[in-house]
Amino acid sequence: MIESSDLRIARIPLNHGAGHMPVLGFGTLIPDSAATISATRDALEAGFRHFDCAERYRNEREVGEALEAGLAAGGIAREDIFVTTKLWNTNHRPERVEPAFEASRNRLRLSYLDLYLIHTPFAFQPGDEQDPRDQNGKVIYDRGVTLLDTWRAMESLVDHGRCRAIGLSDITLDGLLPIYESARIRPAVIQVEAHPYLPETELLEFCKKKDIVFLAGAPLGHGIKPGVLEDPIILAIAARIGKTPAQVLLAWAVQRGTATLSKTRTAARARENFNISALPEDAFDEINRIQTRQRFNEVVKTGSPGFIPQGR
Ligand SMILES: NC(=O)c1ccc[n+]([C@@H]2O[C@H](COP(=O)([O-])OP(=O)(O)OC[C@H]3O[C@@H](n4cnc5c(N)ncnc54)[C@H](OP(=O)(O)O)[C@@H]3O)[C@@H](O)[C@H]2O)c1
């Protein structure tokens, strides 16, 4: 149940009493260091209080620096923001989980994390190379660890008070079910690609029934064109209600009961993406009837990330 009718400040409770997640999150998948710092600062100034990070984005240091400065400058308390980061595929072995978590937490300059996610359900060869490949360029997977082994190590982070909640990202319903059934601490959040072309309705219904927050990544379809930002129905609704296509997409995501992430490098778009309001019911229904289906990122099938430059 989403708290508050003002979508900009709405929050959604996490299971196990692990606090509340602001439904509008800012994604930090930004390849450039200077742009990461300015974008994080601008997002905080625009009003975002939820930041999504990852070890794999290789910019936790910059996000941490910007958050520390932004909180001090804005008189914002740590408890007023919600910060997530993610365990990368090369750290799935249980003995690697806590060191990876601690390294991320230190880079982010935080004493605790609100949420820690397993970035993808695919374990890669353990080590410092984030994208291990064989001579033929094929990913080297790690067959010596199961997702449940990794989940058990994530549970101990919660036991020891290192993070408030844990979850999974880039997971399918088939992948989620066995973890959900065997977990001692059930996933609080799943983060998956979702937008009108990939509504993931079955997964969303499961999450609603089981009290798991569904966090929609790529609500703007990664900005890929042609894509959801240029869909004729979205454009028509935006023109009709005097909002931008991005605002329509983000409002739709929240109104259907998901939390959502968006990312931009520009301050004006950060303000635009934060300044959303509820869609009229007919517009919401019209978006639900869009028939186009498209997944923009295949990471869910392979564990290999899309949209991350290699070898930085
Ligand atoms: N778990 C995963 O594997 C995974 C995968 C992908 C993403 N994510 C998370 O989800 C976050 C969001 O995903 P994303 O960044 O790929 O997708 P997105 O937010 O759907 O799209 C971002 C793109 O849209 C553009 N954009 C942003 N606001 C706009 C606006 N108001 N009007 C028009 N274009 C706009 C941005 O360009 P400008 O920067 O030029 O504004 C950028 O190119 C990521 O940062 C990350 O935290 C997670």
Side-chain angles (χ1 to χ4, degrees), residues 26-30 51-54 57 86 88 117 119-120 169-170 191-193 195 216-225 228-229 244-247 250 261-266 268-270 272-273 297 299 305-307:
F26 185 77
T28 63
L29 174 45
I30 301 169
F51 294 85
D52 181 77
C53 315
Y57 303 163
K86 313 189 193 82
W88 183 237
L117 300 175
H119 200 144
T120 88
S169 140
D170 297 327
Q191 181 186 132
V192 294
E193 178 182 338
H195 40 70
L220 313 179
H222 295 298
I224 291 171
K225 296 184 176 174
V228 286
L229 277 167
T244 68
Q247 288 171 327
L250 293 167
L261 298 169
S262 63
K263 176 213 78 181
T264 177
R265 288 158 299 176
T266 64
R269 279 182 173 172
E272 174 187 333
N273 295 351
N297 190 341
V299 59
F307 313 102

Side-chain angles (χ1 to χ4, degrees), residues 181-311:
E181 277 155 13
S182 312
R184 182 167 57 77
I185 300 176
R186 292 198 156 142
V189 176
I190 60 154
Q191 181 186 132
V192 294
E193 178 182 338
H195 40 70
Y197 290 180
L198 190 66
E200 294 280 27
T201 309
E202 202 187 350
L203 186 54
L204 175 59
E205 289 312 313
F206 177 83
C207 289
K208 283 184 176 172
K209 254 190 243 138
K210 303 296 186 186
D211 215 9
I212 299 171
V213 172
F214 181 115
L215 176 56
L220 313 179
H222 295 298
I224 291 171
K225 296 184 176 174
V228 286
L229 277 167
E230 291 184 333
D231 181 274
I233 291 174
I234 302 295
L235 292 177
I237 291 171
R240 197 163 80 222
I241 66 173
K243 288 281 183 183
T244 68
Q247 288 171 327
V248 169
L249 289 163
L250 293 167
W252 173 80
V254 176
Q255 274 172 270
R256 70 195 290 257
T258 74
T260 188
L261 298 169
S262 63
K263 176 213 78 181
T264 177
R265 288 158 299 176
T266 64
R269 279 182 173 172
R271 289 191 293 273
E272 174 187 333
N273 295 351
F274 187 72
N275 187 23
I276 62 167
S277 52
L279 303 172
E281 208 175 308
D282 60 339
F284 180 72
D285 292 342
E286 224 179 308
I287 300 174
N288 289 332
R289 288 195 297 271
I290 289 177
Q291 296 295 319
T292 309
R293 289 292 170 263
Q294 188 173 359
R295 178 187 291 286
F296 292 104
N297 190 341
E298 295 297 318
V299 59
V300 72
K301 296 179 182 162
T302 62
S304 277
F307 313 102
I308 297 180
Q310 305 296 316

